[in-house]
Amino acid sequence: MAINGATVAPILVSAALLVAGVLASKLSSRFGIPALLLFLVTGMLAGSEGPGGIPFDSPLAAMAAGSVALFLILFDGGLQTDLKNLSRTVAVRGALLATVGVMVTAGVVGAFCVVVLDIPLTEGLLLGAILSSTDAAAVFSVLRSRDVGLPPRLRTLIEFESASNDPTAVFLVVTLVAFAAGDAPVGALVPLSYLLRLAGGGAIGWLSGVLLVRILNRIDLEHDGLYPVLTLAAAGVVFGVAEIVGTSGFMAAYMAGLAMAGRVFAHRRSLLRFHEGVAWLMQIVMFLILGLLVFPSELLEHAVPGLAISAVLMLMARPLAVMALLLGSDFSLRERVMVSWVGLRGAAPIILATFPMVAGLETAGSIFNTVFFVVVFSVLIQGPTAGLMARLLRVDVPVERVERLPIEIDGDAATGMMIARLHVEPGSFADGSHLLDVGGPHMPLVILMRREGRYFIPGGTTVLAGGDELHLLGTVEMIEAMRPHVCCAARCDL
């Protein structure tokens, strides 16, 4: 029986667009063009005004798809965070940037739009609010590329801020849209509602992440393929519950992943790899849909205000917020400038720009096109220059290439065992010693060793040398006990 062509066509088109998105990412790494920009361009070419000719004009569908994609990207962002680098200082300063920093940025951009560009008050303030937050998808994509090497603490601050500042921007946009529609909340309830959404979402997410770890470690599913299904569904449940009870689902999704990041759970490595793939899929889907939604012919008339707003955002509003809120911290001036520069705008502002369209505001089309132009400019300018800026500011570190292991290994969640990777530092105690002399009953088991590109299983008489890469099986305490023996500043890949 032949399948109806009307059924096959959407499948074929969707699959072809995904393939085009994946191939675009390859072009990105080869020619230095931001992958996210290529995804957007691919969507625009496939749209009604491009060669693809696909008609798509549904802000509501774009907002729904973008919201799903964003919370899954945030969940993965939390999972991939190394909690050893999330110190008290980083957490506090990151939280300030994600809240007060977003408000400062929104205020400066909004004031510029109203006073200098003579944009109507509501439209100007909405533009400031929509463009106030950095985009997690764009920041993760740039910072985790092969060209940008930053100190772990600085990288964690930037990623933590970008992943946790969406609730503030969403709250500002929703409040302003309600005000424009004549349905504004009572003034005294505004800050209360904001704090409830932020703190409530964080609490729900963290508790859910801890609970999910316990479930993963106690449940015994018959098929390993069901574990990714469970965590994917759990992320959706966390987001949905948080939103239904009136808190931030985006914050809840990120905090759930963050709570899991520092814990040992069953199938940890395979689940991390699965959610990384889901995050990439969501990035491609989200930017393709947003590319389909825009009409390129309408962008040119917004070029001048878009360029002006971009300049103020990158050179005034963002730096002002960062410099003020990191003042007095142990982050150097160069590091603060780097944080300012890597405040990329991406899919999140474009998704927020669909809120006025869904609400039916008269100026919604103008707002959307201006935001789209600013986002493209930000990704085009700030994305490719992030590595160059890090080198100019001398805050860069060498980017270490971590090769995949030739075998699949995972820790034992029931006993708290995990797999870690340590490098033998030249001049350390282990350099020139037999493996037997470095080990002991309180040390982890060295299950695999890599020397000069070759993997092998070492024995007790194997003589270690500087540069050797050891793959260890043990508890966190055992691995930390061995660290001083092999190096002073080893990199541990959990």
Side-chain angles (χ1 to χ4, degrees):
M1 182 181 69
I3 301 177
N4 188 284
T7 303
V8 174
I11 297 175
L12 176 61
V13 171
S14 301
L17 286 174
L18 286 177
V19 170
V22 173
L23 294 179
S25 68
K26 184 63 178 177
L27 290 174
S28 169
S29 60
R30 176 168 295 184
F31 298 106
I33 305 171
L36 306 182
L37 180 61
L38 291 176
F39 299 156
L40 274 175
V41 171
T42 303
M44 292 168 67
L45 290 174
S48 55
E49 293 188 355
I54 300 174
F56 182 76
D57 188 17
S58 176
L60 183 59
M63 183 177 72
S67 298
V68 172
L70 191 55
F71 86 73
L72 288 174
I73 291 170
L74 290 173
F75 181 70
D76 173 69
L79 275 176
Q80 304 290 346
T81 300
D82 190 345
L83 289 183
K84 295 194 301 296
N85 301 316
L86 189 61
S87 62
R88 179 183 176 86
T89 299
V90 171
V92 171
R93 298 292 175 165
L96 284 173
L97 288 173
T99 52
V100 181
V102 169
M103 296 179 186
V104 170
T105 303
V108 173
V109 173
F112 174 80
C113 291
V114 174
V115 177
V116 179
L117 297 182
D118 199 26
I119 295 175
L121 180 63
T122 303
E123 183 181 346
L125 293 178
L126 266 173
L127 278 169
I130 289 169
L131 292 167
S132 61
S133 69
T134 58
D135 181 61
V139 171
F140 291 165
S141 176
V142 169
L143 293 190
R144 294 174 184 179
S145 69
R146 299 180 180 179
D147 300 322
V148 183
L150 294 177
R153 189 179 68 120
L154 183 60
R155 177 190 299 271
T156 302
L157 172 67
I158 296 171
E159 292 186 349
F160 179 76
E161 179 214 352
S162 67
S164 56
N165 61 14
D166 288 320
T168 304
V170 170
F171 181 80
L172 291 175
V173 172
V174 169
T175 302
L176 286 169
V177 168
F179 179 82
D183 189 25
V186 180
L189 295 180
V190 172
L192 261 176
S193 175
Y194 168 68
L195 292 175
L196 175 64
R197 285 188 62 81
L198 201 63
I204 290 173
W206 187 269
L207 293 174
S208 299
V210 173
L211 177 62
L212 183 55
V213 167
R214 293 186 178 181
I215 293 173
L216 287 170
N217 290 341
R218 294 187 181 184
I219 196 170
D220 186 16
L221 299 176
E222 295 183 1
H223 304 284
D224 290 348
L226 290 176
Y227 286 92
V229 177
L230 174 62
T231 53
L232 186 65
V237 169
V238 171
F239 174 80
V241 168
E243 286 292 332
I244 286 175
V245 299
T247 61
S248 171
F250 295 120
M251 176 62 82
Y254 176 67
M255 292 302 293
L258 199 65
M260 297 177 67
R263 291 173 167 79
V264 182
F265 51 87
H267 302 279
R268 189 177 192 275
R269 283 177 174 265
S270 59
L271 288 174
L272 287 178
R273 193 157 53 248
F274 168 78
H275 282 284
E276 182 183 11
V278 169
W280 270 109
L281 174 63
M282 291 299 101
Q283 286 188 48
I284 295 173
V285 169
M286 179 167 55
F287 279 88
L288 284 175
I289 290 177
L290 294 175
L292 286 170
L293 186 63
V294 74
F295 294 94
S297 62
E298 299 177 0
L299 290 179
L300 289 179
E301 63 181 280
H302 299 277
V304 174
L307 284 172
I309 293 171
S310 297
V312 169
L313 186 61
M314 290 190 290
L315 303 178
M316 184 184 297
R318 169 74 178 174
L320 177 64
V322 171
M323 294 299 172
L325 295 174
L326 293 186
L327 189 66
S329 69
D330 54 355
F331 287 97
S332 68
L333 177 61
R334 291 174 178 173
E335 289 177 322
R336 280 178 268 169
V337 172
M338 189 65 201
V339 174
S340 308
W341 187 250
V342 193
L344 280 85
R345 270 58 190 173
I350 301 178
I351 294 170
L352 291 176
T354 63
F355 285 27
M357 299 176 77
V358 173
L361 300 187
E362 291 183 5
T363 57
S366 175
I367 291 174
F368 181 85
N369 288 321
T370 302
V371 169
F372 195 95
F373 188 93
V374 173
V375 166
V376 170
F377 193 79
S378 172
V379 173
L380 186 60
I381 299 300
Q382 293 175 287
T385 58
L388 174 62
M389 184 64 74
R391 291 188 291 272
L392 290 175
L393 293 171
R394 297 199 294 276
V395 296
D396 63 315
V397 296
V399 180
E400 184 178 354
R401 313 296 187 200
V402 181
E403 297 185 9
R404 293 197 180 277
L405 295 178
I407 57 175
E408 280 294 317
I409 48 179
D410 208 338
D412 183 358
T415 60
M417 294 289 183
M418 63 195 311
I419 302 298
R421 184 196 324 250
L422 292 180
H423 290 84
V424 176
E425 195 76 15
S428 65
F429 172 78
D431 186 11
S433 301
H434 289 92
L435 180 59
L436 189 62
D437 297 329
V438 180
H442 301 294
M443 296 294 179
L445 176 66
V446 180
I447 58 176
L448 198 63
M449 184 170 164
R450 182 173 180 264
R451 175 180 293 170
E452 297 179 352
R454 187 174 65 91
Y455 286 96
F456 61 95
I457 299 175
T461 58
T462 300
V463 178
L464 302 178
D468 287 347
E469 184 179 274
L470 308 180
H471 296 270
L472 316 172
L473 174 64
T475 63
V476 174
E477 294 75 18
M478 295 166 69
I479 292 166
E480 290 303 315
M482 188 168 186
R483 187 189 295 273
H485 291 77
V486 297
C487 52
C488 299
R491 181 181 186 278
C492 180
D493 230 0
L494 299 182

